[in-house]
């Protein structure tokens, strides 16, 4: 997969992709990530990317010319057409299903908007999707782009071992069960004995039950959508 990211702050996106598992995915050739400075598509001495809004009001708006120039020239140089995504608080709220869908694309072009806005003609003529990462306002789309890239890249074939992927889709819309590692007792807090029992079936039942209870308590919205098996219902009834 190829991911291009257009931003006026390329420095903000350097370290997220220079470290960690994303870096490994790049080194292994699973993904190529290119951060591109929108200012390199400006003309004129001032390299201006924004301007005051028509009709008045505060803040500055991204001008259409640099974005059109950038997206059109990037689309032309690529082998396939990129799906163009604008990061903005006005977009559809990002979730795992969207990450999965994007991970199937060959080429993504992410545009980091700024919080005051982007000329509407950019949305109308250049952008395929608008994505928000949640109901809060960031100063720009850069951190949102990093979030989307991280969630998408870890789903690329070959990134995770098969088992983690299967387990993830199996657990569906439930939250994860609690995890422990050594030591068995830490500051008087003991690891649940079943995890030390070596009884794999009992461990699997305990984990499933914890995932069910945790999801019901913390995320009733997810729990309502979960598909429960008869065994799940039995595990939940044990609580009564
Ligand atoms: N830009 C500013 N806030 C944002 C958000 N919540 N999601 C995506 N892009 C943004």
């Amino acid at each position: 997969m190829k991911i291009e990211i257009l931003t006026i702050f390329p420095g903000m996106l350097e370290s997220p992709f220079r470290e960690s598992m994303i870096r490994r995915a790049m080194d292994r050739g699973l993904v190529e990530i290119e951060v591109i400075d929108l200012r390199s598509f400006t003309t004129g001495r001032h390299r201006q990317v924004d301007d005051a809004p028509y009709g008045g009001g505060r803040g500055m708006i991204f001008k259409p010319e640099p974005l059109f120039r950038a997206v059109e020239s990037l689309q032309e140089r690529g082998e396939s057409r990129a799906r163009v995504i604008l990061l903005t608080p006005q977009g559809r709220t990002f979730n795992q299903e969207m990450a999965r869908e994007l991970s199937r694309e060959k080429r993504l072009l992410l545009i980091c908007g700024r919080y005051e806005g982007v000329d509407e003609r950019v949305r109308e003529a250049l952008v395929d999707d608008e994505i928000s990462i949640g109901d809060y306002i960031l100063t720009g789309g850069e951190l949102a782009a990093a979030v989307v890239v991280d969630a998408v890249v870890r789903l690329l074939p070959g990134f995770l071992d098969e088992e983690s992927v299967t387990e993830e889709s199996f657990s569906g819309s439930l939250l994860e069960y609690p995890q422990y590692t050594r030591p068995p007792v830490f500051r008087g807090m003991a690891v649940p004995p079943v995890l030390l029992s070596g009884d794999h079936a009992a461990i699997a039942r305990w984990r499933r039950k914890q995932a069910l209870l945790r999801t019901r308590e913390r995320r009733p919205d997810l729990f309502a959508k979960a598909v429960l098996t008869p065994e799940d219902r039995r595990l939940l009834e044990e609580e009564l």
Side-chain angles (χ1 to χ4, degrees), residues 178-199:
Q179 296 269 34
Y180 297 85
T181 184
R182 274 181 283 266
V185 181
F186 175 70
R187 296 195 179 175
M189 297 177 279
V191 174
V194 62
L195 296 178
L196 312 177
S197 68
D199 180 343

Side-chain angles (χ1 to χ4, degrees), residues 109-226:
L109 171 48
L110 306 184
I111 302 174
C112 306
R114 52 180 300 163
Y115 74 104
E116 292 96 339
V118 172
D119 188 286
E120 192 64 20
R121 290 163 290 191
V122 169
R123 299 174 190 277
E124 284 167 7
L126 282 186
V127 167
D128 297 311
D129 303 291
E130 298 179 35
I131 292 181
S132 162
I133 61 161
D135 288 341
Y136 40 80
I137 310 292
L138 304 166
T139 56
E142 284 74 14
L143 296 175
V147 166
V148 170
V149 169
D150 194 288
V152 167
V153 168
R154 68 180 285 285
L155 294 175
L156 293 178
F159 184 89
L160 293 174
D161 57 67
E162 292 302 315
E163 199 181 325
S164 322
V165 176
T166 329
E167 183 151 334
E168 198 170 66
S169 54
F170 165 70
S171 60
S173 50
L174 293 183
L175 299 181
E176 280 285 318
Y177 46 79
Q179 296 269 34
Y180 297 85
T181 184
R182 274 181 283 266
V185 181
F186 175 70
R187 296 195 179 175
M189 297 177 279
V191 174
V194 62
L195 296 178
L196 312 177
S197 68
D199 180 343
H200 296 296
I203 291 171
R205 270 197 309 278
W206 182 85
R207 286 182 163 167
R208 181 72 185 172
K209 183 170 163 181
Q210 294 301 316
L212 289 163
L213 292 173
R214 187 170 268 200
T215 309
R216 188 171 64 180
E217 183 187 316
R218 298 187 186 182
R219 292 293 305 274
D221 57 318
L222 288 184
F223 188 75
K225 283 188 264 175

Side-chain angles (χ1 to χ4, degrees), residues 30-84:
L30 296 180
V31 61
E32 188 189 340
I33 300 174
E34 191 181 352
V35 179
I36 300 151
D37 190 346
L38 180 63
R39 280 190 209 281
S40 61
F41 293 92
T42 52
T43 53
R45 226 159 23 94
H46 299 292
R47 306 184 80 203
Q48 192 183 352
V49 289
D50 53 11
D51 207 339
Y54 274 122
R58 53 167 208 96
M60 297 288 271
I61 307 299
F62 266 165
K63 294 162 64 60
E65 299 94 323
L67 278 167
F68 271 75
R69 217 175 281 127
V71 172
E72 283 167 358
S73 99
L74 293 172
Q75 290 286 28
E76 268 166 35
R77 80 175 183 176
E79 284 161 25
S80 59
R81 192 188 166 277
R83 180 152 162 192
V84 181

Side-chain angles (χ1 to χ4, degrees), residues 98-115:
M98 287 157 79
R100 211 166 281 133
E101 195 207 319
L102 293 181
S103 74
R104 294 188 197 110
E105 295 283 341
K106 257 179 56 195
R107 190 173 166 214
L108 299 176
L109 171 48
L110 306 184
I111 302 174
C112 306
R114 52 180 300 163
Y115 74 104

